[in-house]
Amino acid sequence: MTAPALPQTSFHQVREALLARQEIALLDVREEDPFAQSHPLFAANLPAGKIELDAWTRIPRRDTFIVVYDNGEGLAEPAARKLQQLGYTQVTLLAGGLQGWRDAGGELFIDVNVPSKSFGELVEAERHTPSLAAEEVQALIDAQADVVVLDARRYDEYHTMNIPTGVSVPGAELVLRAQALAPNPATQIIVNCAGRTRSIIGTQSLVNAGIPNPVAALRNGTIGWLLAGQTLERGATRRFDPAVHADRERAPQQARSVADRAGVQRATRADLARFAAEAQRTTYLLDVRTPEEFAAGHLPGFRNTPGGQLVQETDHTAAVRGARIVLVDDDGVRANMSASWLAQMGWDVWVLDDAPVADFNETGAVANTVPEPEGPIAWVTPAQLAAWLNEESKERPGHTAVLDLTTSANYVQRHIPGAWFVIRSQLAQAVASIPKAQRYVLTCGSSLLARYAAQDLARLTGAEVLALEGGTLAWIAQGLPLEHGETRLASPRIDRYRRPYEGTDSPREAMQAYLDWEFGLVEQLGRDGTHGFRVI
C-alpha cells in the first residue's frame, strides 16, 4: 500500500511562522558540509542518518510543526517519514526544497551557527564593541604591558592554538571570572576567539556588565593573528581556577541587571511544573555551567550546554525556533548573562531563580533518549570479529566486510583494520562501491548508531549482518589492532564542514574569505528580514 503524500509547506508559510514567532523546526537533513554551503537563516541541521539519535532531544514535543528539506538528494521524504515513525504528527516537506526557497526569493546563508554569527556582527555594528588589531595586542604583550588575554572558546579549541599568554575562560565564564583575573581596574582585558563572534559577545558582555577595566576584542581573533604574520602558541593549558577566580559578590548583581534590561523573565520551580504541563509549547531546560560542574551535580530534567557555546550554537541546541528556554546555574551570573543574549536574539528565555543548592543532586552525564531499532539485531564480540578478520586475511578473502558509521574525523584517527567509512544516509551507494561480502559487521564508536542500520543493510545485501558489541571503543579496550588515515572511504567526507578558523593549516585565502563573509552578515540579515534581533 502506497503511503499518503506528505503535506507541503511553502516558503511564505515558513516566513510567516518565523515573523509571528510561532514554534517551527525547519530541518535540513543533509550532512553538515552541504548544509554549510547554503541554507535558510533559521534552518537546523539534522542529518538524515542520525534522526533516531537526536530527534527526541532536539525536538522534544511530538506535535511540533516540522518542515523538512534537502537540495534534491532524495533525503527529505524518507527523513520526514522516519520522523513520523518516531511519533511526530505535524511533519511537512518544504515546497520545492532548497531550490524552492531560493526561487521564492528566500535569503540563503553559508557556514554554520549563522544566527549567532550574524547576531554578533549586528551587536558590533550597533554597539561599536571596542576592539584592537592583532598588531596592537602583540605590541602590548611584547612591551609586557598590564594586559590579560582571555580566550572565550571551548578549552579544546584553546588547547589546539591560542594567543600567547592567553588564558582559557569560555564565554559564559567571563563576567564571573574577569575581575578576579584582572583585579587592577587599570588592567587591559583582551577577549579573543577564533574569528569574531565569541570575542564580540564576550567583550560586550563585560562592557554591559559594567566591568571597570578597559576591555577590547581581539579583532578577527586567531584568524586575524595569523593573517598579521604572528605566531600562535600550541598546547597551552592555562585556564581559570574554578575555586579561586570567581567574583561572587559584584558579578551576580551586574549580570542580573543586564538580564533585566534585555527582558529576561524569571522562573520558579512552580513555573517549571506549569511549563511541563503546557502541551502546546516546547521548553528546553539548560544548565549553562561547565561540564565538570554539571557532572558533579545538577537539577533533574536539565541538560548541560555551557553558556558561551549555547549563545554560539543556538541552532543546534534549540532546533525549534520560537521555543521557550529556561537556564540555570548556581551563581546567578552565567545563566543571566547567557539569557541576556538569547533574549536579544528573539528567544522566549527565562532564568530559574529559586533552585537551592541541595537540589543539584543528579550526577553524571545525561544520555539522549532514543527509540529501539527496528527488528532483532545479531551481535558479534570484538574477539570473534578479530578472529574472522584474521581468518579472512589468510583463507577467505571477501568473506567479512566491516562498515564504520562513526564520524569521518574519528574514522581517520582510528578504525578497525580493513573497515570502510560509511555515512548512514548513503548506505546504498556505499554498499554498491564496496566488494560484495558474505557477512557484514556494523560498528561506530559505541555501536549505538550502527544498530539502526542493521535492517537496512540486510535488505540491501541479502547477507548476514551483525553489529559489533560495544563498537570500536570495545575493540580498542581489548587492545586489538587499529588502522589510521583515509584508508577506505565508501562515502565522501561530507559529514563535517571544515571551518576556516579551526586548526592551524587553513589557507590564508580561506581565512580572509571567512572574515569577508562575516562582514557582510548584517546586510544579509536586513535582506532576510525574519531575525527578530534587537540589541540593548
Side-chain angles (χ1 to χ4, degrees), residues 150 152 169-182 189 191 201-213 215 240 245-259 308 329 331-338 340-341:
L150 306 182
V169 187
E173 306 290 329
L174 286 165
V175 171
L176 183 61
R177 316 283 177 187
Q179 287 180 267
L181 288 162
I189 296 174
V191 179
I201 296 298
T203 299
Q204 197 62 51
S205 291
L206 296 175
V207 172
N208 289 353
I211 301 296
N213 302 66
V215 183
F240 67 86
H245 292 148
D247 180 355
R248 295 185 182 271
E249 294 181 8
R250 293 165 295 182
Q253 290 78 26
Q254 293 168 319
R256 174 67 179 258
S257 174
V258 177
D329 60 23
D331 51 72
V333 180
R334 290 171 285 186
N336 276 304
M337 289 308 302
S338 301
S340 75
W341 292 117

Side-chain angles (χ1 to χ4, degrees), residues 13 17 57 105 107 116 153 169 177 216 232 236 256 274 298 318 348 363 382 415 420 534:
Q13 289 171 308
T57 298
E107 188 72 12
S116 301
R153 299 172 296 165
V169 187
R177 316 283 177 187
L232 292 167
R256 174 67 179 258
R274 177 170 60 86
H298 56 264
D348 176 15
T363 58
H415 55 266
W420 295 84
R534 62 181 183 87

Side-chain angles (χ1 to χ4, degrees), residues 435-486:
K436 188 173 177 59
Q438 296 174 40
R439 176 198 296 129
Y440 293 85
V441 176
L442 285 160
T443 187
C444 59
S446 64
S447 279
L448 182 61
L449 179 60
R451 302 179 310 154
Y452 294 108
Q455 294 296 319
D456 290 337
L457 184 57
R459 281 191 289 266
L460 285 167
T461 63
E464 180 185 15
V465 173
L466 306 97
L468 180 62
E469 285 185 5
T472 306
L473 291 176
W475 176 278
I476 294 168
Q478 293 189 22
L480 293 165
L482 291 167
E483 197 170 51
H484 311 277
E486 296 183 343

